[in-house]
Amino acid sequence: MFMLMCNIMMAIMIAMTMMIMCSLISKVSKKDREKMSPFECGFDPKSSARTPFSIQFFLIAVLFLIFDIEIAIMLPIILTMKWSVTKTWTFTIISFIIILVMGLYHEWNNGVLEWAK
């Protein structure tokens, strides 16, 4: 029992020593604010996280994702052309493109793609 208690105390002491050493070593100086600032996104991380953003930018990003996924779906379909029936393959591709163009037309008609009003 005494050996178990000694092992537990030793483990606790090692863990506490490591935590104290890590907290002492990892102190960030205030001089390095420019060095620690994010340089890629351009947003200040110290400001409020609830600042408004442009809804047009968000909608354009969603459109980009939709058309990016479209290309990821279309490439394997093109590769399967030689193994499938030509009429079925053509109907699938044309219906897929028509659905995407109708969605794009709907968003264009609603003014989603207008930046300045």
Side-chain angles (χ1 to χ4, degrees), residues 1-8:
M1 183 71 173
F2 179 72
M3 189 68 152
L4 180 65
M5 290 297 284
C6 285
N7 285 339
I8 290 174

Side-chain angles (χ1 to χ4, degrees), residues 19-113:
M19 287 194 303
I20 290 171
M21 287 180 65
C22 285
S23 67
L24 289 175
I25 292 172
S26 69
K27 294 292 182 186
V28 177
S29 67
K30 296 189 189 243
K31 294 188 273 187
D32 294 338
R33 186 175 191 291
E34 289 298 320
K35 192 175 183 183
M36 298 300 291
S37 68
F39 61 91
E40 289 185 43
C41 67
F43 295 111
D44 186 18
K46 308 288 188 227
S47 66
S48 174
R50 300 287 181 213
T51 56
F53 63 96
S54 173
I55 194 70
Q56 282 90 7
F57 176 76
F58 176 73
L59 291 174
I60 294 295
V62 168
L63 278 174
F64 172 75
L65 286 175
I66 288 171
F67 282 102
D68 192 38
I69 290 171
E70 169 203 355
I71 289 178
I73 291 172
M74 294 277 282
L75 285 175
I77 290 176
I78 292 170
L79 294 175
T80 61
M81 185 175 113
K82 56 184 154 183
W83 295 295
S84 64
V85 179
T86 307
K87 288 182 183 179
T88 307
W89 184 86
T90 307
F91 177 74
T92 304
I93 292 294
I94 289 175
S95 62
F96 185 70
I97 291 174
I98 286 173
I99 290 171
L100 282 171
V101 169
M102 285 173 38
L104 183 64
Y105 178 73
H106 175 70
E107 289 180 355
W108 188 10
N109 215 13
N110 285 337
V112 171
L113 302 175

